[in-house]
Amino acid sequence: MQRWRGLEDIPQDWGRSVVTIGSYDGVHRGHQLIIGRAVERARELGVPSVVVTFDPHPSEVVRPGSHPPLLAPHHRRAELMAHLGVDAVLILPFTSEFSKLSAADFVVKVLVDKLHARLVVEGPNFRFGHKAAGNVEVLAELGRTYDYEVEVIDLRVRGEAGGGEPFSSTLTRRLVTEGDIEGAAEILGRPHRVEGVVVRGAQRGRELGYPTANVETLPHTAIPADGVYAGWLTADGERMPAAISVGTNPQFDGTERTVEAYAIDRVGLDLYGLHVAVDFLAYVRGMAKFDSIEDLLEAIGNDVKRSTELIEAYESRRD
């Protein structure tokens, strides 16, 4: 899959293509319907499929300080899109100047002059152009002028998550923030993931016999509510069952909120400086302060046991 950072990266000889545009944060099951349809139609038409997205999130430019927590960084979104069969991802730098493009200018500058769109696939609520003045009706009207078609896909998938609300990135962020990572996973179609570099912490886990990877998460990451979770720690391509702690470490009067993962029964791991991924499978318990170190150790032992059970049950269902 090709990855372009800006219009100038698009090959000069790029021909017609099927395009879909959006932030697509999380590439959740609703997004997958749209992207999957774009890929399907591209193959039918014998042209490549392109996903157009933005960096930073448009809201941060339009309303500084309002950047939402991100469910997936751009490299993860591109990876997920590649699995769906997308041929190219275009990440457009979303600047103040870019935000002022009218809907018509956006179509000409991006869809017509650079991507030579033959078909554009979108959800019914798609908005674009200055002050979000463009919608799917405007997009289709411009298509009649610039020789491309528009297909609108209903992405309103529903399930038990969020009490039956339509699946969306906003709902997923809310569920993650509340610690309902199983609900978030229903929408995403996979466990929620947090990424970052392993840094040195207070090393109390090592002293207690449970060394953890202290993950310095990427900016604007959607981090689950404080508590203990079962999941996996992936480093150097190896996925390891893990007990994960999120919070300020109240046992030792901590103030900094951290994400720490203990790779269950792994000895001698040296992960400092590595970029790792932490996948959250299930909530185990809330964060607590114990009366003694002995009580803390007993709780950690129970957390590891429970995490192991949850992970094994999940993996046995998938076999």
Side-chain angles (χ1 to χ4, degrees):
M1 185 182 74
Q2 298 189 53
R3 304 184 192 192
W4 306 320
R5 273 271 180 185
L7 295 173
E8 64 281 356
D9 282 356
I10 301 171
Q12 293 287 334
D13 59 351
W14 190 256
R16 303 300 296 268
S17 59
V18 173
V19 183
T20 183
I21 309 158
S23 292
Y24 290 129
D25 183 25
V27 193
H28 60 64
R29 287 168 56 192
H31 295 153
Q32 290 166 31
L33 287 177
I34 298 177
I35 296 170
R37 180 58 177 166
V39 169
E40 179 184 26
R41 293 290 284 124
R43 288 174 178 166
E44 289 174 0
L45 295 169
V47 298
S49 55
V50 183
V51 175
V52 179
T53 188
F54 308 97
D55 187 32
H57 194 283
S59 66
E60 180 64 18
V61 174
V62 178
R63 298 178 300 279
S66 66
H67 199 304
L70 294 180
L71 299 167
H74 280 290
H75 69 268
R76 174 64 170 159
R77 289 181 228 176
E79 180 183 284
L80 294 166
M81 291 170 185
H83 287 314
L84 294 172
V86 171
D87 294 301
V89 173
L90 168 62
I91 303 173
L92 289 175
F94 199 89
T95 62
S96 177
E97 180 183 0
F98 188 87
S99 74
K100 293 181 175 62
L101 282 179
S102 68
D105 286 344
F106 176 90
V107 163
V108 171
K109 188 179 180 70
V110 179
L111 295 179
V112 179
D113 290 349
K114 290 294 186 177
L115 294 177
H116 310 295
R118 181 168 174 180
L119 171 69
V120 182
V121 181
E122 293 297 340
N125 298 322
F126 175 64
R127 305 302 294 253
F128 69 107
H130 185 51
K131 295 186 177 180
N135 55 22
V136 289
E137 287 78 16
V138 171
L139 187 66
E141 183 181 339
L142 290 165
R144 289 188 281 274
T145 299
Y146 294 108
D147 189 29
Y148 65 79
E149 296 179 11
V150 174
E151 184 172 335
V152 180
I153 302 298
D154 186 353
L155 51 65
R156 291 180 296 176
V157 184
R158 291 177 185 268
E160 295 182 6
E165 290 183 41
F167 289 173
S168 68
S169 297
T170 300
L171 173 58
T172 312
R173 293 183 192 110
R174 192 189 86 205
L175 295 177
V176 168
T177 302
E178 293 172 353
D180 183 1
I181 53 168
E182 289 161 289
E186 182 190 353
I187 299 172
L188 293 169
R190 63 185 183 280
H192 175 57
R193 171 174 287 190
V194 165
E195 296 186 35
V197 173
V198 178
V199 297
R200 292 190 183 277
Q203 298 189 306
R204 291 194 183 94
R206 187 175 301 278
E207 295 168 4
L208 295 170
Y210 296 95
T212 59
N214 187 345
V215 183
E216 186 174 69
T217 55
L218 300 175
H220 305 297
T221 294
I223 298 174
D226 289 2
V228 177
Y229 299 84
W232 296 269
L233 172 66
T234 300
D236 271 347
E238 183 180 3
R239 193 174 190 232
M240 299 168 278
I244 307 154
S245 171
V246 178
T248 58
N249 204 340
Q251 190 70 34
F252 299 98
D253 299 321
T255 56
E256 183 180 352
R257 196 160 183 257
T258 61
V259 175
E260 300 181 55
Y262 165 63
I264 297 172
D265 295 335
R266 293 301 300 268
V267 178
L269 285 176
D270 183 7
L271 303 178
Y272 291 121
L274 292 183
H275 184 97
V276 301
V278 178
D279 292 305
F280 291 82
L281 172 64
Y283 179 84
V284 174
R285 66 168 173 86
M287 192 56 61
K289 185 172 183 177
F290 297 91
D291 293 335
S292 67
I293 295 300
E294 289 72 22
D295 289 346
L296 171 64
L297 285 170
E298 181 180 355
I300 294 175
N302 290 334
D303 294 340
V304 171
K305 181 174 182 293
R306 182 60 180 149
S307 295
T308 301
E309 292 170 349
L310 289 165
I311 294 164
E312 288 178 349
Y314 175 83
E315 292 180 336
S316 67
R317 290 195 301 270
R318 291 173 61 87
D319 289 341

